[in-house]
Amino acid sequence: MNDPKPERDAGEVDESELASYLASHPDFLQRHPEALEAQELRHDAGGAVSLIERQVGSLRRANQDMQSRLKELIGAARDNELRVQHLNSLARALIAADTPAALVKGLTDCLHRELGVDALYIGIMGGTDEAIGGIQPLHRDGAPMRALTNVFRRGKPICGPLTEEQVEALFPDHGDTPPQSAALIPLGEGQVRGVLALGSRDSKRFVPEMGTWFLELTGQLVTTACRRHLGSGRL
C-alpha cells in the first residue's frame, strides 16, 4: 500500500516544478527582471569574491536605495498636496467671513475639520478691552500675554506641550479634557502684534520637531483676514 503524499502548504513551491517551469519558459526572467534582481547569483572564483559579484551587489544596493528614496519623495509630494488643499480650504473660509465672529467660527470649523484642532485662541494687542467676535485683546500684564511670551520673542511658530498656566490662560473653557499640545503662531505684518493658538487634546499632535512652513502660511492668511475686519493699524 502506497503511503499518502504529505500535504504541501499553500505558500510552498516545489523546486522541481519551478525548475521545469523556468526551463520551459526561458524568457521568464526577461519579462520579470525584478525576480532576477532578488536572486543571489555567485560567480565561481574559488574562495574569493569576484569582481562581478561585487558589481552586482553594488548595483542591487543602489537600486534599493533609489527605490527607498523614490518612496520618500512620493510620500513628501502627497503630504505637500494635502497641505495645499488645507490652505485652500482655510483661505476660502477666511474670505467667506463677513464679520470678526464669522471669521473666528469659520477658522475654528476649518481647522477642526482639516487638522483635528480641538481649541482655538486669537489674541491681538491694542484696541478695546473687550473681545471682538471672539478675537481677544492682549495686554502686556495679562495672563495670556505671559503664556505667549516666547512667541513674541522668537517671531516664529512654536509647537509642543502646554503648561497648566498656558491652558488656563488660553483655553479656559476646555471642560474635562484640556488641550495637551499646541501650535502658537505669531500674527502681524512686520512685527508680532498677536498670536493664533491651536490646541489639541492629542499630546503628540503638535511637537517641537515638526515643520512650521504650513503654520507660517496659516498665520499670514489669518493676519490678512484680521486686518480686513479690525483695520491695518491693529496688525
Side-chain angles (χ1 to χ4, degrees), residues 176-197:
D176 297 331
T177 53
Q180 299 298 311
S181 65
L184 308 179
I185 307 168
L187 303 177
E189 290 282 349
Q191 62 177 323
V192 182
R193 298 286 298 170
V195 174
L196 168 65

Side-chain angles (χ1 to χ4, degrees), residues 88-235:
N88 181 58
S89 296
L90 178 60
R92 292 173 61 185
L94 294 175
I95 291 172
D98 55 0
T99 65
L103 184 153
V104 173
K105 184 179 187 308
L107 184 61
T108 301
D109 293 344
C110 179
L111 292 176
H112 176 73
R113 181 178 64 253
E114 303 289 348
L115 297 181
V117 171
D118 298 309
L120 181 143
Y121 170 91
I122 303 179
I124 298 176
M125 297 178 63
T128 66
D129 292 337
E130 300 294 330
I132 302 177
I135 301 176
Q136 305 296 325
L138 271 176
H139 301 292
R140 296 189 181 278
D141 57 348
M145 179 63 81
R146 290 193 296 272
L148 301 169
T149 297
N150 289 336
V151 188
F152 278 86
R153 288 177 179 172
R154 289 186 54 184
K156 296 287 185 181
I158 298 176
C159 302
L162 290 167
T163 65
E164 291 184 7
E165 291 77 10
Q166 287 177 312
V167 171
E168 294 304 322
L170 303 177
F171 309 112
D173 301 325
H174 55 71
D176 297 331
T177 53
Q180 299 298 311
S181 65
L184 308 179
I185 307 168
L187 303 177
E189 290 282 349
Q191 62 177 323
V192 182
R193 298 286 298 170
V195 174
L196 168 65
L198 311 179
S200 173
R201 298 187 184 98
D202 182 358
S203 61
K204 301 296 179 62
R205 180 63 188 87
F206 297 108
V207 294
E209 59 270 19
M210 70 184 297
T212 60
W213 173 76
F214 174 78
L215 299 177
E216 291 178 17
L217 294 181
T218 298
Q220 293 173 13
L221 288 174
V222 174
T223 293
T224 300
C226 288
R227 285 167 62 90
R228 180 161 63 95
H229 291 286
L230 304 181
S232 58
R234 295 286 301 276
L235 289 171

